[in-house]
Amino acid sequence: MFPKEFRYSPRNLIDLLTEMKDTSELMVDLAYSAMVYDDEDIAEEVLNLEDKMDTLDYHMKMAAMLSTRRVDEAEELLGVLKVAASSENIANAAGDIAKIVLMNMGIPMELKVALREAEETIVRATVAAESVMVGRTLGDLELDIETGMWIIAIRRSEDWIYDPDTDTRIRQGDVLFARGHDEGVPLFFQMATTKKFIPREIEHDKVIKDLEHAVDIIVDMKNMSELSVGLAYSAILFDNEDIAYEVSALESEMDSMKYELQHWVLETAKHVDDVNILRGILHLASASEAISDAAYGIADTVLRDIELHPIITLAVRNSEEVITRLQVEKCSPIVGKTFSELRLETETGLHVMAIKRAERWVYAPKSNTVVQAGDMLIARGSRIGEGALIEMCECKLRQ
């Protein structure tokens, strides 16, 4: 198969960068969906989107070159091209995850089950005839603030709808693939199927201890790579070196985790008849590390003090998944409550990545983390969810 020929057409740099960010993030979600559910159709779509990213990258470079004439103008766009290149690298890593399915690499069932219980997970549900979703659009349902889940793909008979918009109407029998916080899975599943969600479990007496270690590490690597990307975009949006340094620290930690993972996979190989079932774990670890490396490439723009062109901040704000920063006032009703009590992910659809508390930072806050007055929350999610978070945090007027 010969590569597709590029044909130049004028494109706006902001629109191109926004589309590259959105497409690369969609590809990662779809790639994990393909792997968890052994779905070759979704895996093929990831590779189709990889071709699309190559085309977007071509247009990005052409538009950048045509818009500069002087050295200072070229320097201004250096950061834009660096972020675009990182988005392309994230897309390539997603393509590598999809190839785990297409090349029939082994993925143990223990890992598939564990990935469904990761901080941000993937769930599949078939819409029942009695579901409240039937006949309603995604815009009407507002699933992100009702359940904390975001639909990334719909299989309708033999057809697929990828990255559906607010006007997409749900039908009986639709198979929905959604991603979001693990707390929202039971809500979403019951809303779609009208049945209670029962997590799949693996019999512990059949699980090899060394494999358990490997699975735990790969789930942590997935969580950490996704956190790195979110923090990297936060660093450039708010021009914040502290967050950028955290992305750098996470990237170094990912390297160590990859080496530890390789040890446990080799230990596991002693106890299995067919070592091919372990190939996918190693491949997934490399892809997760590549995503983290790409996130560092984005944050490096801040660390090297490369000028942050307004195009970057506009693209991040215009993307489907927004990043927001919110100061918690003393009078806010969320002060003194834990994240577990607030259930922000399911109530707003936003995931809090970091908290700035006085002069220190709390990254990936836990469920028992208590919100304090003066906290600065850094969160990502949908635009509707951003409004819900603001409303949830604002001070209430006394009657």
Side-chain angles (χ1 to χ4, degrees), residues 109-167:
M109 181 54 69
E110 291 88 343
L111 178 56
K112 294 179 183 179
V113 172
L115 286 174
R116 297 179 199 180
E117 298 170 1
E119 288 181 6
E120 285 202 18
T121 186
I122 303 291
V123 65
R124 178 177 62 184
T126 302
V127 179
E130 304 82 14
S131 171
V132 294
M133 293 184 178
V134 175
R136 300 175 65 186
T137 66
L138 293 181
D140 293 335
L141 290 169
E142 294 186 340
L143 292 172
D144 45 352
I145 60 175
E146 292 295 330
T147 67
M149 303 299 289
W150 193 327
I151 294 181
I152 57 174
I154 301 172
R155 189 176 72 216
R156 183 169 291 166
S157 298
E158 299 300 317
D159 298 322
W160 284 88
I161 303 171
Y162 294 102
D163 198 19
D165 57 27
T166 54
D167 295 325

Side-chain angles (χ1 to χ4, degrees), residues 45-86:
E45 178 61 20
V46 173
L47 298 190
N48 290 336
L49 289 172
E50 194 171 7
D51 288 339
K52 175 185 175 182
M53 282 292 290
D54 291 339
T55 302
L56 289 171
D57 185 54
Y58 162 80
H59 285 295
M60 171 64 73
K61 289 171 180 173
M62 287 292 292
M65 287 187 287
L66 290 170
S67 62
T68 60
R69 293 184 179 180
R70 303 191 309 271
V71 172
D72 59 324
E73 291 177 342
E75 287 180 337
E76 288 176 358
L77 288 179
L78 183 61
V80 177
L81 291 175
K82 194 170 176 65
V83 174
S86 295

Side-chain angles (χ1 to χ4, degrees), residues 151-263:
I151 294 181
I152 57 174
I154 301 172
R155 189 176 72 216
R156 183 169 291 166
S157 298
E158 299 300 317
D159 298 322
W160 284 88
I161 303 171
Y162 294 102
D163 198 19
D165 57 27
T166 54
D167 295 325
T168 302
R169 196 172 297 277
I170 302 299
R171 299 178 187 174
Q172 175 189 344
D174 281 352
V175 180
L176 310 178
F177 290 81
R179 68 140 170 107
H181 198 273
D182 59 344
E183 290 180 358
V185 170
L187 295 172
F188 174 82
F189 189 84
Q190 187 160 17
M191 193 174 180
T193 67
T194 70
K195 297 177 182 177
K196 185 177 180 181
F197 177 73
I198 302 175
R200 183 168 181 175
E201 295 183 0
I202 299 292
E203 295 180 37
H204 285 282
D205 60 335
K206 293 185 179 180
V207 177
I208 302 170
K209 201 67 180 175
D210 295 336
L211 180 58
E212 269 192 317
H213 286 300
V215 167
D216 289 343
I217 293 170
I218 200 68
V219 171
D220 286 343
M221 289 183 75
K222 174 186 181 293
N223 292 336
M224 199 174 291
S225 65
E226 291 172 344
L227 174 64
S228 296
V229 173
L231 290 177
Y233 281 120
S234 301
I236 58 173
L237 182 62
F238 305 123
D239 194 10
N240 190 296
E241 282 194 2
D242 289 339
I243 301 177
Y245 277 118
E246 178 62 18
V247 175
S248 176
L250 289 173
E251 191 269 338
S252 297
E253 190 172 347
M254 286 284 281
D255 290 340
S256 300
M257 292 175 75
K258 181 182 175 183
Y259 299 141
E260 186 181 358
L261 174 78
Q262 290 169 344
H263 166 78

Side-chain angles (χ1 to χ4, degrees), residues 257-324:
M257 292 175 75
K258 181 182 175 183
Y259 299 141
E260 186 181 358
L261 174 78
Q262 290 169 344
H263 166 78
W264 288 114
V265 169
L266 290 173
E267 287 290 334
T268 304
K270 301 175 184 177
H271 311 291
V272 297
D273 296 326
D274 183 8
V275 294
N276 283 320
I277 67 167
L278 304 175
R279 290 170 58 211
I281 296 181
L282 295 172
H283 201 73
L284 182 57
S286 295
S288 297
E289 186 192 20
I291 292 173
S292 180
D293 290 343
Y296 175 67
I298 296 170
D300 192 52
T301 307
V302 175
L303 297 177
R304 292 185 184 276
D305 201 24
I306 297 172
E307 184 172 349
L308 295 177
H309 197 284
I311 286 174
I312 300 175
T313 53
L314 286 170
V316 175
R317 282 299 301 172
N318 289 345
S319 66
E320 292 179 0
E321 184 175 75
V322 300
I323 294 173
T324 188

